[in-house]
Amino acid sequence: MGEMIFLQPVFKEVLWGGDKLQTMFGYSIPSNHTGEGWMISAHPKGDCQITEGSYKGETLSWLWKNHRELFGGLDGEVFPLLVKIIDAKDHLSIQVHPDDAYAAVHENGALGKTECWYVLDCEPDSTIVVGHNAKTKEELKAMIAEKRWMDLIQIRPLHKGDFFQINPGTVHAIRGGSVILEIQQSSDITYRLYDYDRLQDGKPRELHLDKSIDVIRCPHEDAATESQAETGEGFTSTRLVSCPFYTVTKVHVSGTAVFSQNQPFQMISVFEGEGFFDKKPVKKGMNFLIPSGYGSYTVTGDLEFMVSSVN
Ligand code: ZN
């Protein structure tokens, strides 16, 4: 049967961050420039501590190393996924990530980064950057050399509940005024293409133009996502994406619903409402793991959550 695994988020202060992790979700945050909460992470730059139960006080990376049976005996040196809540008060830089093959060669064997975004909230008239307008690498190089950033990037309108899959090689940026749930490969390899000419401590942040040009796919193609809803007793579920690294499904429970944990592990991100997972009270903003072999679980209440698992 096992037990659900609850974790202490790791918060990251950044210039573009805000205070929504506190005002929306009640977390106690280090400052009103808190841009990221790493909610489920075993990454060395933010390894979450387990807050209760048999493994209280240990980290997720420790659990992965010492209790692989809780993760269905999966192979791999590092816990593969990372769940963040991002509060972008200001624009993030325009960026791109490598895939596993490029990162293995150019980043000391690190994982590449495929990520996806679910928009938890945004201000009216918010936008987001996904994709670019260069048809070929030559055109891309020319547009970058001539700093034609606004011609290059694709800026799209943003709404609460939107979902985007960002494959490696996709030019992208979260923009100010949005709060986003991000599920990604456990990697922090980011190539910065353009930073709106901002200064940090009097200096522009480093750009990585050569590596960006290496990995950007031309022309841009939107990644496939899904939106077919299924209903069952007490719930509606919608698979949003299934890619080589993860499957992400949005679930709305109203009343009582029973689910089975039949994957190596499930990551649950509650983003609306409140209720119970078995006897455990949960509410908007909580993220936790359901280990391998947990079996079936009962969710009661009126709440929405994301279920993410490896493929
Ligand atoms: Zn990214």
Side-chain angles (χ1 to χ4, degrees):
M1 167 84 187
E3 51 190 81
M4 298 188 190
I5 294 158
F6 290 83
L7 301 159
Q8 176 62 38
V10 175
F11 296 104
K12 301 283 182 181
E13 295 180 76
V14 284
L15 281 183
W16 47 261
D19 62 4
K20 296 260 176 64
L21 281 151
Q22 181 159 27
T23 58
M24 277 180 73
F25 306 112
Y27 283 107
S28 123
I29 55 174
S31 75
N32 61 4
H33 282 96
T34 303
E36 301 189 352
W38 292 23
M39 314 308 287
I40 299 178
S41 166
H43 194 279
K45 292 191 177 164
D47 196 357
C48 294
Q49 212 170 47
I50 298 163
T51 56
E52 56 189 79
S54 314
Y55 308 107
K56 184 176 175 177
E58 303 290 357
T59 59
L60 183 55
S61 68
W62 179 92
L63 198 68
W64 174 257
K65 207 167 182 185
N66 294 286
H67 287 281
R68 198 62 68 90
E69 75 282 1
L70 299 175
F71 306 93
L74 283 175
D75 287 334
E77 207 143 298
V78 295
F79 180 75
L81 300 177
L82 175 49
V83 176
K84 292 179 185 177
I85 296 177
I86 295 176
D87 171 17
K89 191 177 176 199
D90 198 358
H91 296 347
L92 278 72
S93 58
I94 312 284
Q95 52 188 254
V96 61
H97 306 298
D99 61 14
D100 284 351
Y102 189 92
V105 174
H106 298 272
E107 306 293 345
N108 296 316
L111 293 180
K113 187 162 157 185
T114 298
E115 67 190 46
C116 63
W117 300 332
Y118 182 77
V119 182
L120 299 175
D121 200 14
C122 63
E123 287 168 11
D125 304 319
S126 292
T127 55
I128 202 151
V129 175
V130 179
H132 64 82
N133 295 313
K135 281 167 206 72
T136 61
K137 281 266 169 171
E138 283 59 45
E139 195 179 355
L140 175 73
K141 283 181 198 165
M143 289 172 101
I144 290 173
E146 293 159 17
K147 302 188 188 301
R148 291 164 54 204
W149 304 112
M150 292 306 126
D151 293 338
L152 179 65
I153 60 176
Q154 291 188 13
I155 300 177
R156 305 177 181 210
L158 193 68
H159 310 97
K160 184 174 174 172
D162 283 351
F163 180 77
F164 300 90
Q165 166 81 350
I166 307 295
N167 284 332
T170 303
V171 172
H172 65 278
I174 293 172
R175 312 242 297 170
S178 49
V179 180
I180 287 184
L181 176 68
E182 180 175 272
I183 295 127
Q184 56 162 100
Q185 284 182 277
S186 185
S187 164
D188 67 345
I189 309 289
T190 293
Y191 301 143
R192 196 177 290 128
L193 183 61
Y194 176 56
D195 197 31
Y196 303 94
D197 302 313
R198 290 180 293 196
L199 302 179
Q200 179 173 331
D201 305 323
K203 281 176 288 183
R205 293 197 288 177
E206 191 192 353
L207 301 179
H208 314 94
L209 296 181
D210 291 341
K211 285 178 171 174
S212 294
I213 290 167
D214 273 353
V215 305
I216 291 171
R217 292 193 196 160
C218 298
H220 168 75
E221 260 178 58
D222 279 351
T225 58
E226 304 175 38
S227 60
Q228 186 69 43
E230 269 180 53
T231 53
E233 182 74 47
F235 74 93
T236 304
S237 82
T238 309
R239 192 163 84 167
L240 299 176
V241 73
S242 188
C243 74
F245 306 101
Y246 48 73
T247 292
V248 175
T249 304
K250 182 172 76 163
V251 182
H252 183 183
V253 167
S254 188
T256 299
V258 178
F259 301 96
S260 68
Q261 202 311 43
N262 49 15
Q263 285 151 324
F265 62 91
Q266 288 181 347
M267 305 191 298
I268 308 289
S269 305
V270 181
F271 61 87
E272 206 67 76
E274 57 190 320
F276 293 85
F277 270 66
D278 286 340
K279 300 244 153 38
K280 178 73 188 176
V282 300
K283 60 175 181 157
K284 162 178 157 175
M286 284 177 76
N287 295 261
F288 51 94
L289 285 156
I290 305 183
S292 177
Y294 188 90
S296 67
Y297 57 93
T298 301
V299 181
T300 54
D302 192 352
L303 67 167
E304 284 185 272
F305 55 92
M306 218 58 92
V307 181
S308 312
S309 59
V310 287
N311 279 335

